[in-house]
Amino acid sequence: MTHKTKLTVFALAASALLFTACKEHMNDDKYQSMPPTISGVTFHVAGTGSTDLRVGDKIVATVVQSSLGKLLYRADYSWETPSVESPTHTNPTDTIVASKSGQYTLKFKGTYHISGNSTGWGGNYTEYFSDNTGKVSYALQGSGYASYVITIEKKLIVQPALQQ
């Protein structure tokens, strides 16, 4: 057998083993990707930690996870707060500065790319925060190179600035 033929036979055998191994473990929890679970979003004033949010404050929004994701290889985040100046976007926090008082809706989208199986995941669903200030939705997007997409909507109330 030539060297090239040996390599070809080895490659085919390795491929067959890989596909067999993956198929055998499709429902094995050890190889199951899972998205993180979100318990809420917190807001505080940068530098002070105060939760008394006022016009002109640099308000830090942080997504709080109740459990970490499993078998994920990359996450992409985006933030949106209509009608509010948002000078910085980092992962997974956002800094917001409101120029007027009122109620705003913070929107977060996290896309978590899957590196394991997604067949055992329960499916798309939405949970509402216990304080009735928003919701978090979980979805499986795509096939093959699939992703879990988590979207959050959270109310933010900004009070008028204190008189000086």
Side-chain angles (χ1 to χ4, degrees), residues 41-64:
V41 178
T42 62
F43 299 106
H44 70 273
V45 178
T48 69
S50 173
T51 57
D52 183 24
L53 311 176
R54 303 266 173 192
V55 169
D57 288 343
K58 287 187 177 184
I59 301 167
V60 178
T62 304
V63 173
V64 180

Side-chain angles (χ1 to χ4, degrees), residues 106-152:
L106 174 77
K107 295 179 181 180
F108 168 85
K109 179 180 177 183
T111 303
Y112 302 86
H113 302 273
I114 296 171
S115 64
N117 294 321
S118 62
T119 56
W121 190 58
N124 303 348
Y125 61 98
T126 298
E127 294 177 340
Y128 292 86
F129 296 127
S130 60
D131 60 2
N132 294 319
T133 61
K135 63 183 179 179
V136 57
S137 298
Y138 301 85
L140 178 62
Q141 184 177 56
S143 60
Y145 295 107
S147 301
Y148 295 118
V149 178
I150 297 175
T151 54
I152 300 170

